Every structure is written in structure tokens, then in C-alpha cells.
Amino acid sequence: SSWLLLAPLLTPPVPVITAPPCSLCPEGAHRFQWIRNLVPEFGISSSHVKVLSSPAEFYELLKVQIKAAKQRVVMASLYLGTGLLEQELVGCLEETLEKSLQAKGSPDLRVSILLDYTRGSRGRKNSRTMLIPLLQRFPEQVRVSLFHTPNLRGLLRLLIPERFNETIGLQHIKVYLFDDNVILSGANLSDLYFTNRQDRYVLLRDSPEIADFFTELVDAIGDVSLQLQQDDTVQMMEGMVHPYQGDKVAYCEIANRRVMEVINSARTRQELLHAKTFHSSQPGSSLLSQQGSQASGSLKPEPDTWIYPLIQMKPFGIQIDEMVTETLLTEAERNARVYLTTGYFNLTQAYMDLILGTRAEYRILLASPEVNGFFGAKGVAGAIPAAYVYIEHQFYSEVCYLQQQERVQLQEYSRAGWTFHAKGLWLYLAGSDLPCLTLIGSPNFGYRSVHRDLEAQVAIVTENKALQQQLHQEQEQLYLCSGVVSTSTFEQPNRYVKLWVKLVTPLIKNFF
């Protein structure tokens, strides 16, 4: 089964999934260990995991962590906003860099920021202009990389206007890392995400191996991205193929190789660590190793929680997140419950087929039109909430046609003055009141996430009841602000979808 899992990754640049890669394995510490055939497995103590619940808590944590950082700050996001809150965040970075510069000897702190080129360059005042002062003042310590999709090139790049060019492909990963502390989220670095845009956020404290992995991942993507210069120009690293001026196939092969090197080297390191741990836990050696670690004061609690980073970069032929998600949906047993949430309900055909054709119960949370991020937008973008309503109605009609209303339930998030951007999955095994697994990160489970953008999330598997309770409360808190979708939902006046939107949606649904 491990070879079946690995086979699609051994045929770059575009692996093809012909069947779900494997069944859940009940042997061993937990039934999801098959995931480590694809990605590194990080065993940690549940006491190092904290689930955050609000945008304000997320923002305050970012500032605290930046100010406390000594060695590294690594931030990957779609973009950095230009408001006062974002300026305060940049101010925290400047203050921390200044302290590092004034410390004795050479400064240790390194700041690496990865954003999307098209989104980060939008408008006269943008992410680039926000960060240039840091580059000018701390040129040896700060790196700003702007990822440009290789699919936006030639005439397409010349003809598609700003904002619309973002539909072709983006850097969508959201990871915020400070020394050995990692925040995984779906939230961007923008004032909305710090105030009234609901998302999800998990802090992994004192997790050096996980922090190293995401540092290397962001570095790898940064290496194949455009580097922001002090004069607001951009250039590629020396010897690197250009993403839209160079050969596309060559560029994608290099990017695939760089990212897969990070994944495979981390897998190898973790397997060696597992082997050492296993041997040291054999009779006769455990006492010695325990005494040795106690003497050095480094006794770590036994891991009861496992972190699996899931990467999806279809432009580079990397489909790990898609494979794992499809397997989880395929193998979820009868009477298991899957809570799946997305800010933009536009599931891939494969995910829809699995939800409608498998045995588990599904509770799918999505944004009502009023809390959709595009609600009230100018021009064509203003019709996007209506397009999502149309997609939702089509899916609901299919559920009703198959008489699956009891098993597959749609719920709409609604909260006055807020927008909804939370995405992820919680898995409750049959007979259990608490989730044993969650997916959290940047993917929305839609066509864009699977085929166009660079995405990353983590699967968190835990046996610890306290952490399971945290995850359960997070899920309940989100679903409490929702109402169940029924036939009458689509009869409301605000659900009216114009004919032109219905005609256009099938043609453009893969772009938003």
C-alpha cells in the first residue's frame, strides 16, 4: 500500500490518481499512520497545541510572537494589507529587527516573507510598498519573495487586467512561524482577518521539527519566486528559470524538485527519529535513555498527537493534499461524522461524488451570501455570491434527488457585521462524541485549491481527550452561528439568481 501511495509522486510533473491510494490501517498507535507514507510525521505532546477562536486573538498572538522572536520569523500569506493594523505589524517586525541589530555580535534574526506577486502588487499602495522600508533598512536580514504562477504568461498576462489576473493561480499558503512556534491558519495578513472575518487558527508551540519543515518549504517556494528589491523592482535568483518568461516545463520541474526535496528529506529525518525512539524504548535501554534525558533536563512527554503537513501544488505536479483528503472521505465509515467547512462552496467533482456516494454523515458549513467575502463588491465580483448560491442549490438538489438529506446536511454561517473564511475538516469516528482528526490550513476544497493555487494544511491526529475537546468546541462554536439549509432557503428573495449568472457560472466556476 505504501508503494501505491508513493507511485503518483514518482512520475513528475503531473501525477494522476486512478483510485484512492489506500485503506485506513487500524494497526499501530493510530489508524491514520498511512499518511506518513507520503509526508513526514511529527509526533508532539498535545500540551503544545492551542486552538484559537477569534481574529483579535490571532492578531495579538502575531504581535507577541514577532516581538519575542530571536532567530527567525517566517510568514507566508496571500498578501499583506495596507491599513493601520498591518502597519502596526510591520512596526513590530522593525522593532524586533532593530533589537537584533543592536545586540552584541552579528544579528541572528532572519525574516522571510512569502506573498503572491499579483495580489501583493495590486494598486499603488500594496504589500510591496509596505515591506520595502524593511528591505532598505535591514537588507542582510529580510527577504521578501513574490510567487508568480507559471500559468500566467505571454498574451494572457498582457491582456488580463489587475484583479482578474489573480484567477489564474496564486500563492495561497498561510503559515506564520516564530523561532519554534508555528501558527497554521487560513487567514491572510489583513485588517479584516484581524477584526471581523471568521477563520481558523492553531498554534503549535515549541515544535522545532515542524518549524524547520515549514521554514524549508517557504524557502523552497521563495527560491523559485521573484525577489523584491529595495527600489520596488523584482528579480529572480541567479541561475533560476523565470516563472513567466522562461520555459514553463523547466520551471515547474525545478519547483517540483525543490519542494519534494523538502518533503522527502523531512520524511527521512522523521523516520530515523522514529527508529531511534523505537530502539531506545526496547527493554534495557529505556531506563538508561530516560535517566540520561532526565540528567540533561530534556525529558519530553510521550507524543499523543501527530502532525502531517499536506501540500498541494498542482502546477508543479504535487497532489498530496488531494490524495489524503480523497482517502479520508473514501474511508470514513458508516456512522462516522465529517464536519467540513469552506468559505467558498465550490467542491471539486471528485469531492462531491465521494460525499454523495460514501457512508459517513456529513455536516457541511458554508457562507450565507451576506457573509461571503465578495458580498457588495463592485462590478462582476459582486455577482460571485449569487454564483455560489447557484452552485449550492445545484448540490442541494442532487442531495435531495438521491434522498440523502439525513446523511448530508448543508448549513449556512450567518453573523451580522462579519464575513466567513473558515475552512477545514473534523472527523468523528463512529460512536465517538469527539473528533480524532482535523484538517486546518489554506485549501477550500474547491477547483482552485486543487488545480490552480499553492496550498498547505496540516492533518492533526490526536488521542488526547483535552485536545479533542478543544477541537470539538472550535467546531461547535462555528456551527452554532449557522442555520440548516432546506428547500425554502432557496425561495427567499435574497437567493434569487439572475439568468446570466446561471449561464456564466459553469464557465467560470473553476476560476473563483
Side-chain angles (χ1 to χ4, degrees):
S1 63
S2 61
W3 283 110
L4 281 173
L5 279 163
L6 288 170
L9 301 181
L10 301 175
T11 55
V14 183
V16 177
I17 301 171
T18 54
C22 104
S23 298
L24 300 185
C25 314
E27 306 87 9
H30 62 81
R31 63 191 305 169
F32 303 101
Q33 284 188 333
W34 54 268
I35 303 175
R36 75 179 183 199
N37 291 325
L38 286 171
V39 295
E41 175 187 72
F42 301 100
I44 63 171
S45 166
S46 55
S47 62
H48 291 191
V49 184
K50 185 183 181 187
V51 180
L52 312 181
S53 60
S54 73
E57 191 180 4
F58 169 58
Y59 180 60
E60 290 306 316
L61 182 63
L62 285 175
K63 290 194 293 182
V64 168
Q65 290 291 322
I66 288 171
K67 287 176 181 178
K70 297 287 188 290
Q71 273 82 43
R72 59 185 169 189
V73 172
V74 178
M75 299 200 289
S77 184
L78 174 60
Y79 69 105
L80 170 70
T82 58
L84 293 175
L85 294 178
E86 298 93 316
Q87 193 61 61
E88 191 178 341
L89 213 59
V90 174
C92 290
L93 282 169
E94 188 174 4
E95 184 185 319
T96 306
L97 283 160
E98 185 62 49
K99 270 197 297 186
S100 170
L101 204 57
Q102 289 171 357
K104 290 179 183 177
S106 60
D108 291 328
L109 182 67
R110 294 290 178 269
V111 174
S112 176
I113 298 172
L114 171 67
L115 304 172
D116 182 72
Y117 177 90
T118 51
R119 184 65 181 85
S121 304
R122 187 201 289 182
R124 188 170 292 177
K125 189 180 181 185
N126 53 41
S127 307
R128 292 161 66 161
T129 58
M130 291 286 286
L131 293 168
I132 282 170
L134 290 184
L135 277 173
Q136 291 172 338
R137 192 164 174 203
F138 309 99
E140 300 302 314
Q141 293 173 265
V142 178
R143 178 193 195 192
V144 179
S145 305
L146 301 167
F147 174 80
H148 191 295
T149 178
N151 293 327
L152 182 65
R153 53 175 49 233
L155 272 178
L156 194 65
R157 189 172 188 276
L158 291 172
L159 296 176
I160 299 185
E162 199 174 76
R163 289 178 70 94
F164 291 95
N165 58 9
E166 296 166 28
T167 61
I168 305 303
L170 296 166
Q171 192 307 109
H172 201 244
I173 295 168
K174 290 85 187 270
V175 174
Y176 309 108
L177 190 157
F178 315 92
D179 292 342
D180 293 338
N181 301 326
V182 183
I183 302 172
L184 272 304
S185 180
N188 291 304
L189 295 172
S190 171
D191 53 5
L192 289 174
Y193 295 90
F194 304 151
T195 51
N196 62 346
R197 189 154 169 73
Q198 183 62 59
D199 216 299
R200 296 180 66 208
Y201 336 83
V202 167
L203 168 66
L204 308 175
R205 288 187 297 103
D206 302 323
S207 304
E209 292 94 352
I210 300 172
D212 288 347
F213 173 84
F214 280 107
T215 298
E216 290 171 19
L217 179 69
V218 171
D219 280 348
I221 302 165
D223 288 349
V224 297
S225 300
L226 295 154
Q227 307 300 306
L228 184 63
Q229 306 299 305
Q230 296 176 29
D231 60 354
D232 197 20
T233 59
V234 292
Q235 62 185 49
M236 289 300 289
M237 285 175 57
E238 196 173 334
M240 186 60 66
V241 177
H242 198 282
Y244 62 85
Q245 293 174 352
D247 181 83
K248 181 180 171 182
V249 173
Y251 173 81
C252 290
E253 283 178 353
I254 289 167
N256 174 291
R257 195 157 57 243
R258 287 287 288 110
V259 173
M260 289 308 299
E261 277 171 7
V262 171
I263 294 168
N264 291 329
S265 63
R267 269 190 69 224
T268 303
R269 285 199 303 268
Q270 291 308 112
E271 282 171 3
L272 288 171
L273 195 64
H274 288 311
K276 282 181 184 176
T277 307
F278 175 77
H279 289 304
S280 68
S281 65
Q282 295 306 296
S285 63
S286 58
L287 185 62
L288 286 171
S289 64
Q290 202 169 22
Q291 286 170 343
S293 55
Q294 278 175 334
S296 62
S298 63
L299 182 63
K300 284 187 176 180
E302 281 290 309
D304 56 8
T305 300
W306 294 268
I307 310 294
Y308 301 94
L310 308 178
I311 312 303
Q312 183 75 12
M313 300 178 182
K314 190 71 169 285
F316 305 155
I318 298 170
Q319 295 172 243
I320 297 170
D321 180 62
E322 178 187 4
M323 292 169 67
V324 171
T325 303
E326 286 191 4
T327 305
L328 289 172
L329 298 181
T330 302
E331 299 296 337
E333 63 211 5
R334 190 180 299 280
N335 297 325
R337 282 174 296 138
V338 177
Y339 288 78
L340 187 150
T341 176
T342 172
Y344 304 109
F345 183 73
N346 187 12
L347 300 177
T348 65
Q349 191 61 49
Y351 291 163
M352 283 195 288
D353 290 345
L354 286 169
I355 289 167
L356 294 172
T358 50
R359 299 155 294 178
E361 294 176 17
Y362 284 87
R363 301 291 177 264
I364 302 172
L365 182 63
L366 49 119
S368 65
E370 297 77 20
V371 300
N372 186 295
F374 290 97
F375 187 73
K378 294 175 183 176
V380 179
I384 289 178
Y388 281 118
V389 168
Y390 181 58
I391 293 166
E392 176 191 351
H393 194 182
Q394 284 185 309
F395 181 76
Y396 180 75
S397 300
E398 186 72 10
V399 170
C400 294
Y401 174 75
L402 296 169
Q403 299 183 326
Q404 298 287 316
Q405 299 97 310
E406 289 297 311
R407 193 180 64 81
V408 180
Q409 196 173 89
L410 295 180
Q411 293 177 232
E412 286 186 354
Y413 185 94
S414 184
R415 189 175 178 185
W418 282 64
T419 54
F420 183 69
H421 196 249
K423 69 265 297 200
L425 178 152
W426 298 259
L427 175 60
Y428 294 67
L429 296 178
S432 176
D433 294 328
L434 297 172
C436 62
L437 175 146
T438 191
L439 301 182
I440 178 169
S442 63
N444 276 298
F445 306 105
Y447 186 93
R448 284 197 63 103
S449 293
V450 171
H451 295 277
R452 294 188 180 279
D453 298 340
L454 305 192
E455 305 278 11
Q457 64 179 340
V458 294
I460 302 176
V461 177
T462 185
E463 296 174 341
N464 180 270
K465 294 297 179 196
L467 179 52
Q468 289 180 352
Q469 190 66 47
Q470 269 194 78
L471 295 169
H472 176 66
Q473 285 171 353
E474 178 200 30
Q475 177 270 114
E476 277 197 323
Q477 189 178 346
L478 289 172
Y479 279 70
L480 274 173
C481 297
S482 71
V484 176
V485 172
S486 64
T487 305
S488 61
T489 303
F490 302 101
E491 295 168 358
Q492 297 169 21
N494 65 340
R495 301 310 167 95
Y496 174 72
V497 180
K498 294 176 182 176
L499 179 60
W500 75 266
V501 175
K502 290 181 180 180
L503 294 173
V504 167
T505 298
L507 304 175
I508 64 168
K509 64 183 289 189
N510 293 343
F511 292 92
F512 61 83

